[in-house]
């Protein structure tokens, strides 16, 4: 059995950023500076989830956070989306530091500036496909008829024009994911975040979703 070298400290696994689409702009959209986040489960049990993560993302880029299970990918994504706070570091979106936003400003940021595609879809089972997509616009004060029309247009674009009146339980996994993508696009957000958007899908459907 090999022995561990003396004085060597195992480095914690941290999420890494891979840029799939070359930078087409010099406009920095997202800036993460030495992010730290830990969770205290009990007095003597503290889990250090995110440790010193830094990266920049520019407009027009297609970027993936990758790393081993448990390295903090979803937590970092939640931090960028303003769903999680940080213990140390700076998280900026278009030059604005998220930690300095008050609750109302944060809510407006999440509602109008970003679109989120959740791994588990998070569709409301009591609403139709079209209503699920239109809901963010309706919640923002848009007239229902106008919001529903835009929702229908997006669903048609994503190949779900024949499923407007169906509820989520009547859809396949791929169709639910397309609905979630349409909902993320309804507010014309500047940034789209997706948490393992193909994790619940078969390989063929996953490729179709990524092509969108």
């Amino acid at each position: 059995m090999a022995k561990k070298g003396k004085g060597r400290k195992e480095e914690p696994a941290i999420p890494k950023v891979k840029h799939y689409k070359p930078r087409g702009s010099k406009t920095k959209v997202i800036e993460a500076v030495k992010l730290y986040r830990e969770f205290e489960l009990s007095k003597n049990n503290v889990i250090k989830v995110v440790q010193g993560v830094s990266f920049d993302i520019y407009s027009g880029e297609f970027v993936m956070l990758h790393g081993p299970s448990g390295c903090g990918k979803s937590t970092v994504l939640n931090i960028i989306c303003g769903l999680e706070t940080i213990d140390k570091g700076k998280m900026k979106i278009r030059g604005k530091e998220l930690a300095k936003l008050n609750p109302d400003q944060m809510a407006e940021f999440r509602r109008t500036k970003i679109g989120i595609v959740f791994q588990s879809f998070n569709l409301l089972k009591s609403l139709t496909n079209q209503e699920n997509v239109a809901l963010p616009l309706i919640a923002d004060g848009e007239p229902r008829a106008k919001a529903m029309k835009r929702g229908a247009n997006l669903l048609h674009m994503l190949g779900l024009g024949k499923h407007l009146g169906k509820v989520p339980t009547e859809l396949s996994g791929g169709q639910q994911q397309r609905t979630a993508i349409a909902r993320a696009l309804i507010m014309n957000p500047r940034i789209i975040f997706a948490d393992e958007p193909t994790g619940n899908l078969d390989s063929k459907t996953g490729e179709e979703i990524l092509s969108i």
Side-chain angles (χ1 to χ4, degrees):
M1 181 181 293
K3 295 181 179 179
K4 293 183 179 179
K6 293 182 178 179
R8 294 183 63 181
K9 185 177 181 181
E10 185 178 351
E11 292 295 326
I14 61 173
K16 296 181 180 179
V17 176
K18 187 169 184 178
H19 301 258
Y20 278 91
K21 186 175 180 181
R23 292 178 184 172
S25 168
K26 293 183 179 180
T27 303
K28 187 183 294 185
V29 177
I30 298 173
E31 181 181 5
V33 183
K34 295 184 178 180
L35 304 180
Y36 285 84
R37 183 69 170 114
E38 61 182 38
F39 297 96
E40 185 176 349
L41 302 183
S42 64
K43 187 175 181 180
N44 298 316
N45 187 8
V46 177
I47 300 178
K48 297 180 179 180
V49 181
V50 178
Q51 300 184 67
V53 175
S54 297
F55 55 85
D56 296 328
I57 298 176
Y58 292 76
S59 60
E61 287 191 302
F62 183 87
V63 177
M64 181 182 78
L65 281 174
H66 66 101
S69 178
C71 72
K73 299 185 295 296
S74 292
T75 302
V76 170
L77 187 61
N78 286 339
I79 289 171
I80 303 173
C81 295
L83 299 173
E84 286 277 1
T85 58
I86 54 177
D87 298 311
K88 288 194 297 183
K90 289 185 178 181
M91 183 69 250
K92 294 182 178 181
I93 305 290
R94 290 186 170 270
K96 290 186 177 181
E97 193 170 343
L98 296 189
K100 294 183 179 180
L101 300 181
N102 62 41
D104 289 339
Q105 291 172 327
M106 181 63 76
E108 182 183 4
F109 161 75
R110 288 196 297 262
R111 189 176 67 250
T112 63
K113 306 301 183 185
I114 65 175
I116 306 174
V117 181
F118 298 94
Q119 182 181 358
S120 56
F121 314 139
N122 285 5
L123 301 175
L124 298 180
K125 296 179 181 179
S126 61
L127 300 183
T128 66
N129 220 18
Q130 187 178 5
E131 288 170 336
N132 264 291
V133 175
L135 186 59
L137 266 183
I138 296 172
D140 197 48
E142 194 75 23
R144 178 182 172 83
K146 187 174 181 180
M148 292 290 280
K149 182 178 180 179
R150 173 158 170 75
N153 289 340
L154 283 170
L155 288 169
H156 276 286
M157 287 173 55
L158 294 174
L160 293 174
K162 295 181 179 180
H163 304 286
L164 302 183
K166 291 185 177 180
V167 294
T169 52
E170 297 176 305
L171 303 174
S172 68
Q175 289 169 336
Q176 289 186 62
Q177 192 62 292
R178 288 172 186 267
T179 301
I181 291 171
R183 182 184 58 192
L185 295 172
I186 192 75
M187 298 292 292
N188 285 322
R190 295 175 177 176
I191 310 168
I192 297 290
F193 297 107
D195 186 3
E196 298 189 35
T198 63
N200 291 323
L201 309 176
D202 59 74
S203 57
K204 182 177 183 300
T205 306
E207 289 176 3
E208 292 175 354
I209 292 299
L210 289 177
S211 69
I212 295 173

